[in-house]
Amino acid sequence: MTDLASRPVRMVFTAKAGGVSSSPYESFNLGDHVGDAPEDVASNRQRLADVLGLAPEQFVWMEQLHTNTVTVVGAPQSEPVEATDAVVTTQPGLALCVLVADCVPVLLSDHNAGVIAAAHAGRLGARNGIVKKTVEKMVELGANPANIQVLLGPAAAGASYEVPLEMARDVESRLPGSITKTSKGTTGVDIRAGLVRQLLSLGVTHVDADPRDTVTDTDFFSYRREGTTGRQAGVIWLTGA
């Protein structure tokens, strides 16, 4: 059996259960910007740290604003990284975090080069190239697209992500492969499908996509399903192994 601690990179996605938050954030809400009690969010983040064998100070959170801004971090952050939707590091022990409740959490790693990233790819950010820019920043820091491994987490699936036709066509023009039909036969977007196609065009071929749909799967928080709700997280870190 492989020793997880010996792996050079760890990637984790959380779900809805296992925390202390009360409804409508029940229960493992990790978002501190959604109206949940701060002490409950802090408790949940401590639980996450304990499970992962990390300290809360090692987590790097973002002030996610649906931008296409990518920020390189090299040290612990006392506050969320301002106005950014992707963080990149070469520093072992920094756990990069992305919060979502339908948007696509994207974790990227070139463990040979010692470069990792976490990106928040909502419709607008994905349309405006947040993942492409993240890959480009990783390459600047020594990563090779052929060696980058990507994991796309649970998110709103195309079958559930209904948008107006004009909006879908706009996203498709910037993120080819994303336009689709929903389960109701209406126009929709499949952001994960568009991102997979984009990553392949960048020479990133080691791509895995979790197919679970946050809108229909009640194991996850979903803004489209619930409105006021919590956030799950994707977390990635270099172990230094």
Side-chain angles (χ1 to χ4, degrees), residues 55-62 71-82 84 87-97 116 141 236-238:
E57 303 80 54
Q58 291 176 262
F59 291 115
V60 176
W61 306 93
M62 295 180 277
T71 302
V72 178
V73 294
Q77 309 290 307
S78 59
E79 298 293 335
V81 181
E82 291 184 359
T84 195
V87 281
V88 183
T89 194
T90 59
Q91 181 63 44
L94 285 185
L96 309 182
C97 304
I116 61 170
L141 295 176
I236 182 170
W237 69 103
L238 290 162

Side-chain angles (χ1 to χ4, degrees), residues 76-224:
Q77 309 290 307
S78 59
E79 298 293 335
V81 181
E82 291 184 359
T84 195
D85 284 84
V87 281
V88 183
T89 194
T90 59
Q91 181 63 44
L94 285 185
L96 309 182
C97 304
V98 50
L99 292 168
V100 292
D102 289 332
C103 296
V104 184
V106 186
L107 304 179
L108 310 93
S109 165
D110 180 347
H111 68 266
N112 293 318
V115 184
I116 61 170
H120 168 241
R123 174 183 54 80
L124 189 58
R127 174 205 180 275
N128 291 335
I130 185 63
V131 172
K132 179 176 184 290
K133 290 192 171 191
T134 301
V135 170
E136 291 170 349
K137 184 60 68 176
M138 292 178 70
V139 170
E140 286 180 22
L141 295 176
N144 182 337
N147 294 333
I148 294 176
Q149 296 181 322
V150 180
L151 185 56
L152 308 179
S160 301
Y161 200 163
E162 182 179 10
V163 297
L165 177 59
E166 183 177 350
M167 181 182 290
R169 286 174 172 169
D170 175 64
V171 175
E172 177 71 16
S173 70
R174 301 287 294 274
L175 189 70
S178 59
I179 195 168
T180 189
K181 291 290 186 183
T182 70
S183 58
K184 298 186 292 185
T186 55
T187 305
V189 289
D190 187 336
I191 300 300
R192 278 179 298 199
L195 290 175
V196 170
R197 181 166 166 178
Q198 182 181 71
L199 286 162
L200 293 174
S201 75
L202 296 170
V204 180
T205 59
H206 302 294
V207 182
D208 289 303
D210 189 315
R212 287 177 290 181
D213 180 0
T214 53
V215 179
T216 59
D217 190 334
T218 56
D219 286 341
F220 299 98
F221 297 110
S222 169
Y223 181 80
R224 290 181 72 86

Side-chain angles (χ1 to χ4, degrees), residues 33-86:
H33 62 293
V34 295
D36 194 4
E39 61 273 20
D40 288 346
V41 177
S43 178
N44 288 338
R45 290 185 175 187
Q46 181 65 60
R47 287 185 179 208
L48 177 64
D50 292 344
V51 168
L52 299 182
L54 300 170
E57 303 80 54
Q58 291 176 262
F59 291 115
V60 176
W61 306 93
M62 295 180 277
E63 182 195 18
Q64 299 167 188
L65 300 176
H66 297 277
T67 68
N68 61 359
T69 301
V70 181
T71 302
V72 178
V73 294
Q77 309 290 307
S78 59
E79 298 293 335
V81 181
E82 291 184 359
T84 195
D85 284 84

